[in-house]
Amino acid sequence: GALIIAPNNFTKSIVSGGPADIAGLSLGDIILAVDGETLTEILSLAEILSTYAPGDTARLLVYRGGETQTFSVVLSDSTSVIY
């Protein structure tokens, strides 16, 4: 999976008002799959998201607090679901 972390003490991984924030994702969440495609060492989050266009909606399977949850995220650009 892909763990959502802050890269340093001065930068947030989830931008206020960005797609991940609007969808309800939080630091510490682990993204396990996107639209049913499981993230692996070979198939990364960036590779999966590179097939989407801005405005597309992706359903993320996320591990949080000992359970899995599904979040829908409307992507804003091709950089990442986090921003």
Side-chain angles (χ1 to χ4, degrees), residues 32-68:
L32 302 174
V34 178
D35 288 330
E37 288 191 73
T38 302
L39 276 63
T40 66
E41 289 182 16
I42 296 171
L43 186 60
S44 71
L45 179 62
E47 288 175 306
I48 293 173
L49 293 179
S50 71
T51 65
Y52 290 79
D56 286 349
T57 299
R59 290 179 47 87
L60 307 179
L61 180 64
V62 174
Y63 181 80
R64 175 192 287 172
E67 59 186 38
T68 57

Side-chain angles (χ1 to χ4, degrees), residues 7-83:
N8 59 49
N9 291 335
F10 305 105
T11 306
K12 292 184 177 181
S13 287
I14 297 179
V15 174
S16 180
D21 180 43
I22 293 168
L25 294 172
S26 299
L27 291 177
D29 286 349
I30 301 172
I31 301 170
L32 302 174
V34 178
D35 288 330
E37 288 191 73
T38 302
L39 276 63
T40 66
E41 289 182 16
I42 296 171
L43 186 60
S44 71
L45 179 62
E47 288 175 306
I48 293 173
L49 293 179
S50 71
T51 65
Y52 290 79
D56 286 349
T57 299
R59 290 179 47 87
L60 307 179
L61 180 64
V62 174
Y63 181 80
R64 175 192 287 172
E67 59 186 38
T68 57
Q69 300 177 38
T70 302
F71 295 86
S72 291
V73 178
V74 178
L75 304 173
S76 63
D77 61 34
S78 61
T79 58
S80 175
V81 70
I82 306 306
Y83 302 107

